[in-house]
Amino acid sequence: MNFAETFKLALAAIWAHKLRSFLTLLGMIIGVTAVVVVVSMIQGFNAYVEDKIANIGANNFTIFRFDFFKDFQNTDTLAAAQRRNKELTLSDYEFLMERKVVIDQLGVQAAPSFAEVKRGAEVLESVPVGGATANIANIQNISVEYGRFFSPNEDEAAARVAFIGRDVADKLFPAGPETAIDGEILIRGLPYRVIGIMEVKGTVLGRAQDNFVTVPLRSYLKQFGPPVRNRWLSFAGTPPSPGLYNDAVEEARNLMRLRRQLKANEPDNFAVITPDAITGMRDRIFGPIFIVAIAVPGIALLVGAIVIMNIMLVSVTERTKEIGIRKAIGARRTDVLKQFLVEAVTLSAIGGALGVLLAWLIGLVISAYIFPTYFSFIAVVLAVGVSGGVGVLAGIFPAWKAARLDPIEALRAD
Protein backbone atom coordinates (compact mmCIF):
# COMPACT_ATOMS: atom_id res chain seq x y z
CA MET A 1 0.00 0.00 0.00
CA ASN A 2 1.48 3.34 -1.06
CA PHE A 3 1.66 6.52 1.03
CA ALA A 4 -1.34 8.18 -0.67
CA GLU A 5 -3.62 5.29 0.25
CA THR A 6 -2.25 5.23 3.79
CA PHE A 7 -2.83 8.96 4.12
CA LYS A 8 -6.43 8.64 2.91
CA LEU A 9 -7.09 5.91 5.47
CA ALA A 10 -5.63 8.13 8.21
CA LEU A 11 -7.83 11.08 7.19
CA ALA A 12 -10.89 8.84 7.04
CA ALA A 13 -10.20 7.56 10.56
CA ILE A 14 -9.70 11.09 11.87
CA TRP A 15 -12.89 12.31 10.18
CA ALA A 16 -14.89 9.38 11.50
CA HIS A 17 -14.19 10.53 15.03
CA LYS A 18 -14.27 14.31 14.50
CA LEU A 19 -15.08 15.36 18.06
CA ARG A 20 -12.55 13.02 19.62
CA SER A 21 -9.92 14.12 17.11
CA PHE A 22 -10.57 17.79 17.89
CA LEU A 23 -10.33 17.25 21.63
CA THR A 24 -7.13 15.29 21.04
CA LEU A 25 -5.72 18.23 19.09
CA LEU A 26 -6.44 20.82 21.77
CA GLY A 27 -3.27 20.14 23.73
CA MET A 28 -1.17 20.31 20.56
CA ILE A 29 -2.90 23.49 19.36
CA ILE A 30 -2.36 25.23 22.69
CA GLY A 31 1.27 24.13 22.88
CA VAL A 32 2.16 25.18 19.34
CA THR A 33 0.28 28.46 19.70
CA ALA A 34 2.16 29.26 22.88
CA VAL A 35 5.54 28.39 21.33
CA VAL A 36 5.00 30.55 18.24
CA VAL A 37 3.55 33.46 20.23
CA VAL A 38 6.41 33.41 22.74
CA VAL A 39 9.11 33.23 20.05
CA SER A 40 7.39 35.98 18.05
CA MET A 41 7.11 38.16 21.15
CA ILE A 42 10.76 37.61 22.07
CA GLN A 43 11.99 38.56 18.60
CA GLY A 44 9.55 41.46 18.36
CA PHE A 45 10.46 42.73 21.81
CA ASN A 46 14.19 42.57 21.05
CA ALA A 47 13.69 44.56 17.86
CA TYR A 48 11.40 46.96 19.73
CA VAL A 49 14.00 47.63 22.43
CA GLU A 50 16.76 48.20 19.89
CA ASP A 51 14.62 50.47 17.74
CA LYS A 52 12.75 52.55 20.32
CA ILE A 53 14.46 52.21 23.67
CA ALA A 54 18.14 51.61 23.05
CA ASN A 55 18.08 53.71 19.85
CA ILE A 56 20.82 51.50 18.45
CA GLY A 57 20.86 53.20 15.07
CA ALA A 58 21.82 56.58 16.55
CA ASN A 59 25.29 55.32 17.53
CA ASN A 60 25.33 57.72 20.47
CA PHE A 61 26.05 57.62 24.18
CA THR A 62 24.70 59.69 27.06
CA ILE A 63 26.32 61.02 30.23
CA PHE A 64 24.01 61.11 33.26
CA ARG A 65 24.42 61.91 36.91
CA PHE A 66 23.30 58.39 37.85
CA ASP A 67 23.78 54.94 36.40
CA PHE A 68 20.15 53.90 36.19
CA PHE A 69 21.10 50.23 35.83
CA LYS A 70 23.24 50.06 38.99
CA ASP A 71 22.49 52.98 41.30
CA PHE A 72 18.75 52.27 41.33
CA GLN A 73 19.02 48.56 42.17
CA ASN A 74 18.29 49.15 45.85
CA THR A 75 17.87 51.94 48.37
CA ASP A 76 21.42 51.67 49.75
CA THR A 77 23.17 52.05 46.40
CA LEU A 78 20.84 54.89 45.41
CA ALA A 79 21.50 56.77 48.65
CA ALA A 80 25.25 56.30 48.21
CA ALA A 81 25.06 57.54 44.61
CA GLN A 82 23.06 60.61 45.67
CA ARG A 83 25.78 61.51 48.17
CA ARG A 84 28.61 60.75 45.76
CA ASN A 85 27.33 61.97 42.38
CA LYS A 86 27.12 65.69 41.73
CA GLU A 87 24.73 67.22 39.22
CA LEU A 88 26.10 67.75 35.73
CA THR A 89 26.62 71.41 34.91
CA LEU A 90 27.21 73.60 31.88
CA SER A 91 30.77 74.04 33.18
CA ASP A 92 31.23 70.28 32.86
CA TYR A 93 29.96 70.51 29.30
CA GLU A 94 32.34 73.33 28.44
CA PHE A 95 35.22 71.38 29.97
CA LEU A 96 34.44 68.40 27.72
CA MET A 97 34.03 70.59 24.65
CA GLU A 98 37.42 72.24 25.16
CA ARG A 99 39.31 68.95 25.57
CA LYS A 100 37.51 66.39 23.42
CA VAL A 101 39.52 64.82 20.60
CA VAL A 102 37.82 61.60 19.57
CA ILE A 103 34.27 62.70 20.40
CA ASP A 104 32.64 64.25 17.35
CA GLN A 105 29.42 65.96 18.47
CA LEU A 106 28.43 66.67 22.05
CA GLY A 107 25.10 68.19 23.05
CA VAL A 108 23.14 69.02 26.20
CA GLN A 109 19.61 68.21 27.24
CA ALA A 110 17.67 69.50 30.23
CA ALA A 111 15.15 67.11 31.76
CA PRO A 112 11.62 68.27 30.97
CA SER A 113 9.56 70.33 33.37
CA PHE A 114 5.79 69.91 33.29
CA ALA A 115 4.13 73.14 32.23
CA GLU A 116 0.89 74.58 30.91
CA VAL A 117 0.93 75.06 27.14
CA LYS A 118 -1.91 76.90 25.45
CA ARG A 119 -3.09 78.49 22.26
CA GLY A 120 -6.18 80.59 22.34
CA ALA A 121 -8.85 78.82 24.38
CA GLU A 122 -7.12 75.43 24.10
CA VAL A 123 -5.10 74.62 27.21
CA LEU A 124 -2.85 71.59 27.72
CA GLU A 125 -1.88 70.81 31.29
CA SER A 126 1.37 69.19 32.41
CA VAL A 127 3.08 69.02 29.03
CA PRO A 128 6.76 67.93 29.29
CA VAL A 129 8.81 70.97 28.23
CA GLY A 130 12.53 70.31 27.84
CA GLY A 131 15.58 72.19 26.63
CA ALA A 132 18.34 71.09 24.26
CA THR A 133 21.26 72.39 22.25
CA ALA A 134 20.73 72.61 18.52
CA ASN A 135 22.95 69.61 17.68
CA ILE A 136 20.76 67.20 19.67
CA ALA A 137 18.67 66.72 16.53
CA ASN A 138 21.67 65.25 14.69
CA ILE A 139 23.04 63.33 17.66
CA GLN A 140 19.75 61.55 18.36
CA ASN A 141 18.62 61.26 14.73
CA ILE A 142 15.43 63.21 15.38
CA SER A 143 13.12 62.96 12.38
CA VAL A 144 11.36 66.21 11.46
CA GLU A 145 7.98 65.90 9.75
CA TYR A 146 7.17 69.60 9.35
CA GLY A 147 9.43 72.62 9.60
CA ARG A 148 12.86 72.26 11.23
CA PHE A 149 14.77 71.98 14.49
CA PHE A 150 16.16 75.18 15.99
CA SER A 151 19.58 76.50 14.95
CA PRO A 152 22.73 77.20 17.03
CA ASN A 153 22.11 80.94 16.60
CA GLU A 154 18.62 80.60 18.02
CA ASP A 155 20.03 78.69 20.99
CA GLU A 156 22.76 81.29 21.59
CA ALA A 157 20.20 84.12 21.40
CA ALA A 158 17.76 82.28 23.72
CA ALA A 159 15.13 82.67 21.01
CA ARG A 160 11.57 81.77 21.91
CA VAL A 161 11.10 79.04 19.33
CA ALA A 162 9.64 75.61 19.94
CA PHE A 163 9.92 72.15 18.42
CA ILE A 164 6.84 70.14 19.34
CA GLY A 165 5.45 66.60 19.21
CA ARG A 166 2.56 65.59 16.99
CA ASP A 167 0.11 65.18 19.89
CA VAL A 168 0.68 68.79 20.95
CA ALA A 169 0.35 69.98 17.35
CA ASP A 170 -2.91 68.09 16.76
CA LYS A 171 -4.49 69.45 19.95
CA LEU A 172 -3.41 73.07 19.60
CA PHE A 173 -3.72 73.27 15.81
CA PRO A 174 -6.80 71.18 14.88
CA ALA A 175 -6.79 72.54 11.31
CA GLY A 176 -3.76 70.37 10.60
CA PRO A 177 -0.17 70.02 11.83
CA GLU A 178 1.19 71.96 8.86
CA THR A 179 -0.68 75.05 10.11
CA ALA A 180 1.34 74.95 13.34
CA ILE A 181 4.54 76.14 11.64
CA ASP A 182 5.14 79.79 12.58
CA GLY A 183 2.12 79.61 14.86
CA GLU A 184 2.36 80.99 18.39
CA ILE A 185 1.89 79.02 21.60
CA LEU A 186 2.18 80.11 25.21
CA ILE A 187 4.42 78.17 27.59
CA ARG A 188 3.73 79.25 31.14
CA GLY A 189 2.40 82.50 29.73
CA LEU A 190 5.40 83.34 27.50
CA PRO A 191 4.95 83.28 23.70
CA TYR A 192 6.96 80.84 21.59
CA ARG A 193 6.94 80.43 17.81
CA VAL A 194 6.53 76.86 16.56
CA ILE A 195 9.24 76.09 14.00
CA GLY A 196 9.04 72.30 13.72
CA ILE A 197 7.08 69.13 14.44
CA MET A 198 8.66 65.76 15.02
CA GLU A 199 7.66 62.74 12.99
CA VAL A 200 5.19 60.53 14.85
CA LYS A 201 6.91 58.03 17.17
CA GLY A 202 3.86 56.49 18.82
CA THR A 203 4.30 54.89 22.23
CA VAL A 204 7.10 53.04 24.00
CA LEU A 205 5.77 50.43 26.44
CA GLY A 206 2.49 52.33 26.60
CA ARG A 207 4.07 55.75 27.14
CA ALA A 208 3.32 58.46 24.57
CA GLN A 209 6.37 59.85 22.77
CA ASP A 210 4.63 62.63 20.85
CA ASN A 211 3.43 64.75 23.78
CA PHE A 212 6.32 67.17 24.36
CA VAL A 213 7.76 70.60 23.64
CA THR A 214 11.50 71.21 23.21
CA VAL A 215 12.96 74.70 23.26
CA PRO A 216 16.56 75.97 22.96
CA LEU A 217 18.56 75.19 26.09
CA ARG A 218 19.27 78.82 26.91
CA SER A 219 15.61 79.72 26.45
CA TYR A 220 14.67 76.88 28.77
CA LEU A 221 17.15 77.90 31.49
CA LYS A 222 16.11 81.53 31.19
CA GLN A 223 12.45 80.72 31.76
CA PHE A 224 12.59 77.72 34.11
CA GLY A 225 15.73 78.59 36.04
CA PRO A 226 19.17 76.95 36.45
CA PRO A 227 19.58 73.16 36.60
CA VAL A 228 18.40 71.67 39.88
CA ARG A 229 17.18 68.24 40.93
CA ASN A 230 14.06 68.29 38.71
CA ARG A 231 15.80 70.05 35.83
CA TRP A 232 18.98 68.01 35.64
CA LEU A 233 21.25 68.07 32.63
CA SER A 234 22.55 65.20 30.54
CA PHE A 235 25.12 65.18 27.73
CA ALA A 236 24.74 63.20 24.49
CA GLY A 237 27.67 62.47 22.21
CA THR A 238 28.62 60.66 19.03
CA PRO A 239 31.91 59.37 17.57
CA PRO A 240 33.18 60.52 14.17
CA SER A 241 32.64 56.96 12.89
CA PRO A 242 31.18 53.71 14.24
CA GLY A 243 34.66 52.23 14.51
CA LEU A 244 35.65 54.89 17.04
CA TYR A 245 32.55 54.46 19.21
CA ASN A 246 34.32 52.74 22.12
CA ASP A 247 37.17 55.25 21.96
CA ALA A 248 34.72 58.15 22.16
CA VAL A 249 32.93 56.58 25.14
CA GLU A 250 36.25 56.00 26.91
CA GLU A 251 37.35 59.57 26.22
CA ALA A 252 34.11 60.91 27.69
CA ARG A 253 34.59 58.78 30.81
CA ASN A 254 38.24 59.82 31.24
CA LEU A 255 37.48 63.52 30.76
CA MET A 256 34.65 63.36 33.29
CA ARG A 257 36.94 61.64 35.80
CA LEU A 258 39.54 64.32 35.19
CA ARG A 259 36.90 67.01 35.64
CA ARG A 260 35.74 65.45 38.91
CA GLN A 261 39.38 64.91 40.02
CA LEU A 262 38.77 61.25 40.77
CA LYS A 263 41.65 59.03 41.84
CA ALA A 264 42.39 55.74 40.09
CA ASN A 265 40.80 53.66 42.86
CA GLU A 266 37.67 55.81 43.13
CA PRO A 267 34.49 54.77 41.28
CA ASP A 268 32.82 57.00 38.71
CA ASN A 269 30.46 59.55 40.24
CA PHE A 270 28.58 59.84 36.96
CA ALA A 271 27.41 57.37 34.31
CA VAL A 272 28.06 56.91 30.61
CA ILE A 273 25.06 55.02 29.24
CA THR A 274 25.39 53.13 25.95
CA PRO A 275 22.89 51.04 23.99
CA ASP A 276 24.73 47.92 25.17
CA ALA A 277 23.88 48.81 28.77
CA ILE A 278 20.19 49.04 27.89
CA THR A 279 20.10 45.78 25.94
CA GLY A 280 22.14 44.14 28.69
CA MET A 281 19.52 45.18 31.23
CA ARG A 282 16.84 43.76 28.95
CA ASP A 283 18.67 40.43 28.78
CA ARG A 284 19.15 40.27 32.54
CA ILE A 285 15.53 41.07 33.31
CA PHE A 286 13.73 39.20 30.56
CA GLY A 287 16.17 36.34 29.89
CA PRO A 288 14.88 34.12 32.73
CA ILE A 289 11.32 35.11 31.92
CA PHE A 290 11.71 34.05 28.31
CA ILE A 291 13.26 30.72 29.35
CA VAL A 292 10.26 29.99 31.56
CA ALA A 293 7.92 31.22 28.83
CA ILE A 294 9.43 28.69 26.40
CA ALA A 295 9.42 25.87 28.97
CA VAL A 296 5.70 26.17 29.75
CA PRO A 297 4.57 25.65 26.13
CA GLY A 298 7.02 22.74 25.99
CA ILE A 299 5.10 21.10 28.83
CA ALA A 300 1.87 21.70 26.93
CA LEU A 301 3.35 19.95 23.89
CA LEU A 302 4.40 17.02 26.08
CA VAL A 303 0.87 16.76 27.47
CA GLY A 304 -0.47 16.91 23.93
CA ALA A 305 1.82 14.05 22.90
CA ILE A 306 0.64 11.92 25.82
CA VAL A 307 -3.00 12.62 24.91
CA ILE A 308 -2.39 11.64 21.28
CA MET A 309 -0.64 8.42 22.33
CA ASN A 310 -3.48 7.47 24.68
CA ILE A 311 -6.13 8.20 22.08
CA MET A 312 -4.23 6.17 19.50
CA LEU A 313 -4.02 3.26 21.94
CA VAL A 314 -7.79 3.50 22.42
CA SER A 315 -8.20 3.60 18.66
CA VAL A 316 -6.11 0.44 18.26
CA THR A 317 -8.33 -1.32 20.81
CA GLU A 318 -11.54 -0.15 19.11
CA ARG A 319 -10.31 -1.12 15.65
CA THR A 320 -8.85 -4.53 16.51
CA LYS A 321 -11.30 -6.34 14.26
CA GLU A 322 -10.59 -3.93 11.39
CA ILE A 323 -6.87 -4.66 11.78
CA GLY A 324 -7.58 -8.40 11.73
CA ILE A 325 -9.59 -8.09 8.50
CA ARG A 326 -6.84 -6.04 6.84
CA LYS A 327 -4.21 -8.60 7.82
CA ALA A 328 -6.43 -11.46 6.69
CA ILE A 329 -6.69 -10.00 3.18
CA GLY A 330 -2.95 -9.48 2.87
CA ALA A 331 -1.93 -6.36 4.77
CA ARG A 332 1.59 -6.65 6.13
CA ARG A 333 2.81 -5.48 9.53
CA THR A 334 4.52 -2.51 7.88
CA ASP A 335 1.21 -1.48 6.24
CA VAL A 336 -0.58 -1.41 9.61
CA LEU A 337 2.40 0.29 11.24
CA LYS A 338 2.42 3.00 8.58
CA GLN A 339 -1.36 3.51 8.83
CA PHE A 340 -1.40 4.26 12.54
CA LEU A 341 1.86 6.19 12.47
CA VAL A 342 0.63 8.42 9.62
CA GLU A 343 -2.64 8.89 11.49
CA ALA A 344 -0.78 10.13 14.61
CA VAL A 345 1.51 12.41 12.60
CA THR A 346 -1.46 13.81 10.64
CA LEU A 347 -3.25 14.61 13.89
CA SER A 348 -0.16 16.42 15.17
CA ALA A 349 0.38 18.26 11.88
CA ILE A 350 -3.22 19.51 11.83
CA GLY A 351 -2.81 20.65 15.42
CA GLY A 352 0.45 22.40 14.51
CA ALA A 353 -1.13 24.18 11.53
CA LEU A 354 -4.10 25.35 13.59
CA GLY A 355 -1.72 26.45 16.34
CA VAL A 356 0.35 28.51 13.89
CA LEU A 357 -2.82 30.14 12.51
CA LEU A 358 -4.08 30.98 16.01
CA ALA A 359 -0.64 32.33 16.98
CA TRP A 360 -0.66 34.60 13.92
CA LEU A 361 -4.04 36.03 14.93
CA ILE A 362 -2.87 36.58 18.52
CA GLY A 363 0.28 38.24 17.18
CA LEU A 364 -1.84 40.71 15.21
CA VAL A 365 -3.71 41.68 18.38
CA ILE A 366 -0.49 42.09 20.40
CA SER A 367 1.08 44.18 17.62
CA ALA A 368 -1.96 46.42 17.48
CA TYR A 369 -2.22 47.14 21.20
CA ILE A 370 1.10 46.43 22.96
CA PHE A 371 4.27 46.21 20.84
CA PRO A 372 5.11 44.76 17.43
CA THR A 373 5.66 41.02 17.25
CA TYR A 374 7.86 39.34 14.68
CA PHE A 375 6.12 36.35 13.11
CA SER A 376 9.27 34.64 11.97
CA PHE A 377 9.89 31.72 9.65
CA ILE A 378 12.04 30.17 12.40
CA ALA A 379 9.09 30.12 14.81
CA VAL A 380 6.83 28.43 12.26
CA VAL A 381 9.43 25.80 11.32
CA LEU A 382 10.12 25.18 15.01
CA ALA A 383 6.44 24.75 15.82
CA VAL A 384 5.63 22.52 12.84
CA GLY A 385 8.81 20.49 13.34
CA VAL A 386 8.10 19.96 17.02
CA SER A 387 4.48 19.02 16.38
CA GLY A 388 5.51 16.54 13.67
CA GLY A 389 8.18 15.05 15.92
CA VAL A 390 5.71 14.77 18.76
CA GLY A 391 3.32 12.99 16.41
CA VAL A 392 5.98 10.45 15.46
CA LEU A 393 6.94 9.80 19.07
CA ALA A 394 3.34 9.59 20.21
CA GLY A 395 2.35 7.24 17.38
CA ILE A 396 5.25 4.77 17.47
CA PHE A 397 4.01 2.62 20.36
CA PRO A 398 0.32 2.45 19.30
CA ALA A 399 1.37 1.71 15.70
CA TRP A 400 3.80 -0.97 16.84
CA LYS A 401 1.10 -2.53 19.04
CA ALA A 402 -1.38 -2.53 16.16
CA ALA A 403 1.15 -4.06 13.75
CA ARG A 404 1.93 -6.94 16.14
CA LEU A 405 -1.69 -8.04 16.58
CA ASP A 406 -2.33 -11.65 15.62
CA PRO A 407 -4.89 -11.61 12.76
CA ILE A 408 -6.84 -14.63 14.07
CA GLU A 409 -7.11 -13.15 17.58
CA ALA A 410 -8.00 -9.78 16.09
CA LEU A 411 -10.86 -11.26 14.04
CA ARG A 412 -12.33 -12.82 17.16
CA ALA A 413 -12.50 -9.40 18.91
CA ASP A 414 -15.92 -7.88 19.46
Side-chain angles (χ1 to χ4, degrees):
M1 186 169 58
N2 58 35
F3 178 77
E5 292 174 340
T6 304
F7 185 65
K8 286 179 181 178
L9 283 174
L11 287 179
I14 292 171
W15 183 253
H17 302 89
K18 295 184 287 293
L19 179 59
R20 187 172 70 184
S21 297
F22 175 73
L23 294 175
T24 304
L25 291 176
L26 275 181
M28 191 62 61
I29 292 172
I30 293 171
V32 170
T33 299
V35 168
V36 176
V37 168
V38 168
V39 173
S40 300
M41 287 180 65
I42 290 172
Q43 292 185 310
F45 184 76
N46 287 341
Y48 185 77
V49 168
E50 292 180 356
D51 179 45
K52 293 207 168 187
I53 299 177
N55 201 15
I56 297 296
N59 194 36
N60 61 53
F61 58 89
T62 308
I63 304 173
F64 288 105
R65 177 189 177 191
F66 295 115
D67 186 336
F68 299 102
F69 309 117
K70 295 179 181 178
D71 297 335
F72 286 70
Q73 288 181 356
N74 57 62
T75 306
D76 293 337
T77 56
L78 178 57
Q82 287 176 330
R83 292 190 300 268
R84 182 183 68 242
N85 297 10
K86 297 184 295 184
E87 295 281 359
L88 299 177
T89 66
L90 288 178
S91 297
D92 294 332
Y93 172 69
E94 292 165 1
F95 181 88
L96 295 177
M97 289 293 292
E98 290 170 0
R99 290 164 176 78
K100 70 181 180 70
V101 176
V102 181
I103 298 171
D104 182 22
Q105 296 190 74
L106 191 67
V108 186
Q109 284 184 294
S113 299
F114 292 94
E116 178 187 270
V117 179
K118 63 182 296 186
R119 175 178 178 263
E122 188 66 41
V123 180
L124 303 181
E125 301 287 350
S126 300
V127 176
V129 179
T133 52
N135 58 357
I136 285 294
N138 292 328
I139 293 172
Q140 297 188 342
N141 288 342
I142 293 175
S143 299
V144 180
E145 185 174 14
Y146 297 98
R148 60 180 176 84
F149 205 72
F150 42 81
S151 67
N153 289 337
E154 288 169 327
D155 185 17
E156 287 292 330
R160 288 182 186 162
V161 292
F163 183 78
I164 64 177
R166 185 62 178 271
D167 288 351
V168 176
D170 289 342
K171 291 172 183 175
L172 295 183
F173 297 88
E178 64 278 0
T179 64
I181 304 302
D182 290 328
E184 185 178 273
I185 61 175
L186 298 179
I187 302 176
R188 282 192 180 175
L190 291 182
Y192 282 78
R193 180 169 60 92
V194 176
I195 60 170
I197 302 172
M198 190 177 73
E199 191 176 87
V200 175
K201 291 183 68 176
T203 60
V204 173
L205 298 179
R207 183 176 179 181
Q209 299 295 294
D210 301 307
N211 180 42
F212 73 90
V213 175
T214 301
V215 301
L217 181 66
R218 295 183 186 277
S219 306
Y220 174 89
L221 297 176
K222 188 174 180 180
Q223 180 173 8
F224 291 90
V228 291
R229 181 174 232 175
N230 294 329
R231 291 192 292 274
W232 43 267
L233 299 181
S234 63
F235 309 148
T238 59
S241 66
L244 294 174
Y245 181 84
N246 291 333
D247 294 333
V249 170
E250 194 59 29
E251 181 181 66
R253 178 174 286 107
N254 290 335
L255 287 176
M256 282 299 298
R257 288 184 63 85
L258 179 63
R259 171 66 175 171
R260 298 287 176 87
Q261 299 180 345
L262 296 175
K263 297 177 182 178
N265 61 345
E266 291 181 306
D268 294 345
N269 56 6
F270 58 90
V272 181
I273 304 299
T274 65
D276 287 342
I278 300 174
T279 54
M281 180 195 67
R282 172 203 64 194
D283 295 339
R284 288 193 300 273
I285 293 175
F286 291 98
I289 296 175
F290 289 150
I291 291 174
V292 173
I294 288 290
V296 171
I299 295 172
L301 286 175
L302 178 62
V303 172
I306 294 172
V307 171
I308 289 176
M309 184 171 65
N310 287 335
I311 292 299
M312 292 302 299
L313 287 172
V314 172
S315 180
V316 169
T317 303
E318 289 180 347
R319 294 156 62 186
T320 300
K321 193 163 189 175
E322 173 195 330
I323 294 169
I325 294 172
R326 289 198 61 207
K327 283 194 167 188
I329 61 176
R332 297 167 298 176
R333 281 188 176 184
T334 54
D335 294 329
V336 177
L337 182 70
K338 283 193 298 183
Q339 178 186 348
F340 282 88
L341 193 57
V342 168
E343 189 173 324
V345 173
T346 302
L347 269 174
S348 295
I350 293 172
L354 293 175
V356 169
L357 176 61
L358 183 58
W360 177 69
L361 295 174
I362 293 174
L364 291 179
V365 175
I366 294 173
S367 297
Y369 295 101
I370 304 177
F371 60 81
T373 59
Y374 183 75
F375 193 73
S376 68
F377 178 74
I378 295 175
V380 174
V381 170
L382 175 66
V384 174
V386 168
S387 62
V390 165
V392 171
L393 293 175
I396 285 176
F397 179 66
W400 176 82
K401 184 178 179 182
R404 288 183 62 84
L405 284 175
D406 180 84
I408 296 174
E409 294 296 328
L411 285 170
R412 289 176 179 173
D414 292 331

